[in-house]
Structure formats: structure tokens, C-alpha cells
Amino acid sequence: AQRVTQPEKLLSVFKGAPVELKCNYSYSGSPELFWYVQYSRQRLQLLLRHISRESIKGFTADLNKGETSFHLKKPFAQEEDSAMYYCALRGSGAGSYQLTFGKGTKLSVIP
Amino acid sequence: DAGVIQSPRHEVTEMGQEVTLRCKPISGHNSLFWYRQTMMRGLELLIYFNNNVPIDDSGMPEDRFSAKMPNASFSTLKIQPSEPRDSAVYFCASSPTGGFGGYTFGSGTRLTVV
């Protein structure tokens, strides 16, 4: 079974402060990990894939297989970063089509 | 491409009425997913289609829910009869076969059953 845990429901930081949104997963094989962002009442948008090893809007995330984590980080938070962030996992085996989402973390950046 | 298109954006209906939600996936995407989002349960996968065939409907909450995909460019999610606890945002998403590379989500349908 695959499971994604986002331990914080709400994270408040001041503008300019560093941000770390935590994501831990449970999966026996080699997963594909994603971060999605949902701005107020909008669609979920793909933010990052661990395979791409890219930085989007200043956010980065590194897959740590030893700690089974995929934390999302940004060195300096901006007000426009306020949104819901979802970590998601897709398995690697045959028939692994389903994205399993965490419950999400609401990031609030205080001006 | 206009992305994944869902209609209607908002739906308010009375308990007991039939509700039909619609989705047009991205052209060329072979996989289509219906998710339900609530405050209490987060994002739940309801059903997954691949090449228009339902592959996994284990997330469909009960027989009141049904989904179809008559062709590669259209899918419906129907609730009959609707109940207040069905109130949620329903998202449709599509992807290349098997969900590889992640999904593209539609804007969702906000359903309120009164």
C-alpha cells in the first residue's frame, strides 16, 4: 500500500522567511513523487516532479529515500506563495497509475 | 490545448435530484481520473479510465455514483439520487497512459446538495 503524510495542516511564515513543507511517504518500491499547488478556489497545478530535479517559482524538493521524504523548500517566502500544497506519490509497478495525495498543507505567508 | 475542461463550474441541487458532471480531457491523454475533494477527507480517487475503459472504480462511494466514458474526449460522473453529504468539489484529471509524469487537473465542479 502507498501512503503520503503531510504532518502540518497549516503553516504560517512571514514574508522573506524560509519555508519547508514536509512530506513523508510509505511505499515499498521506487516511487515517483510530485508537489501540486492549489491557489484559492482554483485547479490543482503541478509544481514539481522529483524526476525533473527542477526549481519552479523558487521551490525545490529533494527525494530522500533513506528518510522516505520529499520536503518542499523555498528560501524566501512571498505573499503569492499562499496556497494549499499537496504532496503526491505514484508507484512504479505494473498497474501503478494512481496518484495518492496527502491531505495537504495550507501555507499562509504573512506580509 | 485548452486543458481539461469541466462543466458546470458550480451546481446547486436539491436532495434526491440527479446530478451529472462533465469532463473533456486533454486530447491525446489516454487516462482519465475523477477525484472528490472535501475538507474532511482531502482528495479521494473515485474512478480511473484508461482508453475509455474503467480500470478501477473501487473509490466510488456507493451505487448512487456512476461514471462513463463513451469516447476519448468525454466523460460523465452521475449521482442519482444526490444527498447533502455528496457536497464537495469534483475534479477531473487526465494524463498520458498510466498517469506517467503526473496529471493535469480541470477547474473542478463545486457541488452543493441542499
Side-chain angles (χ1 to χ4, degrees), chain A residues 7-19:
Chain A
E8 302 139 329
K9 293 184 71 173
L10 174 64
L11 181 64
S12 295
V13 301
F14 286 100
K15 178 181 174 181
V19 175

Side-chain angles (χ1 to χ4, degrees), chain A residues 35-104:
Chain A
W35 276 99
Y36 280 81
V37 60
Q38 185 180 29
Y39 300 103
S40 181
R41 293 186 170 237
Q42 295 186 24
R43 73 182 70 199
L44 279 83
Q45 302 173 41
L46 179 62
L47 183 62
L48 285 176
R49 296 190 293 154
H50 91 269
I51 300 176
S52 303
R53 300 187 65 81
E54 57 201 341
S55 174
I56 304 293
K57 300 183 179 182
F59 285 97
T60 58
D62 290 317
L63 179 60
N64 186 323
K65 293 186 177 181
E67 296 183 358
T68 60
S69 68
F70 188 57
H71 303 328
L72 184 68
K73 300 177 183 179
K74 185 171 183 177
F76 308 104
Q78 302 299 315
E79 289 180 65
E80 56 265 29
D81 297 329
S82 295
M84 281 291 293
Y85 290 82
Y86 292 92
C87 183
L89 175 152
R90 177 180 174 273
S92 56
S96 294
Y97 50 83
Q98 178 177 340
L99 271 184
T100 298
F101 286 86
K103 293 261 194 273

Side-chain angles (χ1 to χ4, degrees), chain B residues 32-76:
Chain B
L32 184 140
F33 308 83
W34 282 100
Y35 277 83
R36 178 171 66 177
Q37 184 183 41
T38 60
M39 290 288 290
M40 291 297 295
R41 301 169 72 99
L43 279 159
E44 303 172 278
L45 177 66
L46 300 178
I47 188 168
Y48 157 58
F49 291 89
N50 193 53
N51 292 324
N52 314 336
V53 177
I55 303 299
D56 183 357
D57 65 355
S58 59
M60 297 286 263
E62 41 195 285
D63 292 346
R64 298 183 297 107
F65 285 70
S66 62
K68 294 182 180 179
M69 191 163 186
N71 57 61
S73 59
F74 185 65
S75 177
T76 59

Side-chain angles (χ1 to χ4, degrees), chain B residues 5-111:
Chain B
I5 300 172
Q6 290 187 249
S7 64
R9 288 295 304 272
H10 303 275
E11 177 79 34
V12 180
T13 190
E14 291 185 345
M15 183 174 64
Q17 296 298 305
E18 177 181 295
V19 175
T20 300
L21 312 181
R22 296 172 177 80
C23 175
K24 182 181 187 315
I26 289 176
S27 177
H29 279 188
N30 296 339
S31 296
L32 184 140
F33 308 83
W34 282 100
Y35 277 83
R36 178 171 66 177
Q37 184 183 41
T38 60
M39 290 288 290
M40 291 297 295
R41 301 169 72 99
L43 279 159
E44 303 172 278
L45 177 66
L46 300 178
I47 188 168
Y48 157 58
F49 291 89
N50 193 53
N51 292 324
N52 314 336
V53 177
I55 303 299
D56 183 357
D57 65 355
S58 59
M60 297 286 263
E62 41 195 285
D63 292 346
R64 298 183 297 107
F65 285 70
S66 62
K68 294 182 180 179
M69 191 163 186
N71 57 61
S73 59
F74 185 65
S75 177
T76 59
L77 177 67
K78 185 177 294 186
I79 308 172
Q80 166 63 18
S82 58
E83 297 182 3
R85 61 193 167 115
D86 301 331
S87 298
V89 181
Y90 291 82
F91 285 103
C92 175
S94 71
S95 78
T97 297
F100 179 75
Y103 306 168
T104 301
F105 280 83
S107 297
T109 295
R110 183 173 295 274
L111 174 65

